[in-house]
Amino acid sequence: MSKHVQLLITGLVVVLVVLSLVWTYRFLGTPAEQRALRMDLQRVHRLDELTNSIARYYRSQDKPKLPESLEQVRADPSANSFYLGNIYEDPLTGKLFEYRRLSDNEYELCAEFQTDFREEEKKGRITSDLAAKWMHPKGRACFRFRVSPEGDTSRIEPTRTPGD
């Protein structure tokens, strides 16, 4: 093989490697972006489990009403989740998720997110179902929920805290 052909093949291989790296970072994101998304997906999973535990707590009361704090949910054996992780805490910081009881059957959960789910959905990194249920911007986001008399939970609408 001539030196000219070897250089051409080497050049093509280098171009292909560079293009594949560019495509990978564009679609999958940088390693830091991937870590941030994984953390946010863990947060969302924990928040989802937490809504289930709050609903179990609600159903377990003689007169159904929401807890005043997450500590009440944590202390109630009937509300405890089968999830093996700590659903009450942010997976990165270890801080308790914010919970606020709004009425006997409405509450709000807040968390700090590292990614914007609108952008992640546009890039195809998360499903539209997940995005629809847990759509949030980067930063602090709050979600409002209502528990029906039967104990079913529905999201009212995500809200932002003023000043965020």
Side-chain angles (χ1 to χ4, degrees):
M1 205 183 305
S2 73
K3 190 163 184 104
H4 180 64
V5 172
Q6 286 178 332
L7 284 173
L8 182 62
I9 291 172
T10 302
L12 285 173
V13 168
V14 168
V15 167
L16 287 174
V17 167
V18 169
L19 287 176
S20 67
L21 286 173
V22 168
W23 180 85
T24 300
Y25 281 138
R26 181 139 172 85
F27 181 72
L28 298 177
T30 65
E33 290 171 335
Q34 291 176 28
R35 278 191 299 278
L37 179 58
R38 268 196 317 273
M39 276 293 118
D40 281 354
L41 290 172
Q42 284 183 28
R43 283 181 187 94
V44 163
H45 182 72
R46 287 182 179 195
L47 290 169
D48 199 51
E49 288 291 329
L50 190 50
T51 63
N52 294 332
S53 289
I54 292 168
R56 283 192 294 275
Y57 176 93
Y58 180 86
R59 287 189 302 266
S60 73
Q61 303 304 299
D62 292 332
K63 181 182 179 222
K65 75 174 195 174
L66 292 169
E68 295 296 326
S69 71
L70 289 180
E71 290 303 323
Q72 285 182 299
V73 179
R74 189 185 282 192
D76 185 337
S78 64
N80 288 328
S81 174
F82 295 108
Y83 177 67
L84 297 176
N86 186 345
I87 63 171
Y88 304 96
E89 296 176 0
D90 182 284
L92 182 63
T93 67
K95 291 184 196 169
L96 283 178
F97 288 117
E98 294 176 51
Y99 166 85
R100 189 165 60 116
R101 181 177 175 261
L102 303 173
S103 69
D104 283 348
N105 70 334
E106 290 185 11
Y107 66 96
E108 183 176 69
L109 287 174
C110 301
E112 189 77 29
F113 293 95
Q114 296 175 299
T115 63
D116 182 332
F117 263 28
R118 283 176 191 83
E119 293 300 316
E120 298 301 327
E121 182 186 25
K122 284 179 194 172
K123 293 174 183 175
R125 296 178 188 165
I126 60 171
T127 66
S128 56
D129 289 342
L130 180 66
K133 184 173 181 183
W134 292 102
M135 185 62 70
H136 61 77
K138 183 176 180 178
R140 188 168 184 272
C142 297
F143 304 89
R144 293 182 73 159
F145 297 93
R146 179 178 295 125
V147 183
S148 72
E150 297 78 33
D152 298 321
T153 302
S154 59
R155 194 189 85 198
I156 300 171
E157 183 176 321
T159 58
R160 293 276 304 188
T161 301
D164 289 336

